[in-house]
Amino acid sequence: LPWVVVPEIQAVYARMQPVWPHIRLYGVSIGAWLAMQALRAEKLEKALLVSPVVDMETLILSMMQGAHVTEEQLKAAREHPLQWHTPTQVLYGDKDALTSRAVMERFRRQSGAHLTILQGGEHWFHTEVQLAVLQSWEEHQCG
């Protein structure tokens, strides 16, 4: 739950900050969204995001539509749009079923993130090819 996870991420960051001068974020899917919510005011060196959820409202509305749930039945997640200002690299699969290309492009414009798109990539990188691309991308970003 966000109200549990976000304070935990903030607590870990608070313990790390005095000890480590260079802190980077690595986030996947909804974990990336939770971490960006928790650390949006912090000065991170860099963020590496794989298939990040960057627009929770759109994701929820899309899932609601698929489940035939009305907006009146779900209101809680609409009050906190994401604002993110850390230098960020995003690896995104063009077949991502959770985050559309338009939503990802809007995040890129708003945050200044660099977007790498894997043709044929899905939200969860799981095939041999996808995992090889992910590993190469991570090595390039962290090298």
Side-chain angles (χ1 to χ4, degrees):
L1 301 172
W3 49 89
V4 174
V5 175
V6 167
E8 287 293 323
I9 294 170
Q10 291 169 331
V12 169
Y13 179 83
R15 288 192 303 270
M16 291 170 51
Q17 189 180 28
V19 179
W20 294 339
H22 304 284
I23 298 175
R24 294 180 175 185
L25 168 66
Y26 184 95
V28 177
S29 187
I30 197 166
W33 183 82
L34 290 165
M36 288 189 289
Q37 289 294 329
L39 303 175
R40 64 177 140 193
E42 305 301 341
K43 300 293 183 208
L44 302 171
E45 182 177 306
K46 186 183 223 181
L48 303 178
L49 307 177
V50 180
S51 300
V53 171
V54 296
D55 187 331
M56 185 60 73
E57 180 179 3
T58 299
L59 175 61
I60 290 170
L61 291 173
S62 175
M63 293 173 80
M64 287 170 50
Q65 183 179 20
H68 307 292
V69 175
T70 68
E71 192 169 340
E72 291 77 32
Q73 294 171 307
L74 183 63
K75 297 178 182 177
R78 301 177 55 122
E79 311 245 339
H80 303 287
L82 179 64
Q83 295 179 353
W84 187 246
H85 306 290
T86 294
T88 298
Q89 301 287 328
V90 172
L91 179 59
Y92 172 77
D94 73 333
K95 304 274 188 241
D96 190 317
L98 293 184
T99 302
S100 72
R101 177 73 178 264
V103 168
M104 189 57 63
E105 287 290 348
R106 185 174 66 237
F107 171 75
R108 181 193 58 76
R109 285 191 307 276
Q110 291 171 345
S111 69
H114 179 269
L115 185 59
T116 301
I117 299 172
L118 173 59
Q119 299 301 316
E122 301 164 75
H123 183 76
W124 299 110
F125 285 52
H126 65 282
T127 69
E128 192 173 316
V129 170
Q130 292 168 355
L131 291 172
V133 169
L134 172 61
Q135 182 177 5
S136 174
W137 178 82
E138 288 172 344
E139 289 171 356
H140 178 75
Q141 299 306 320
C142 297

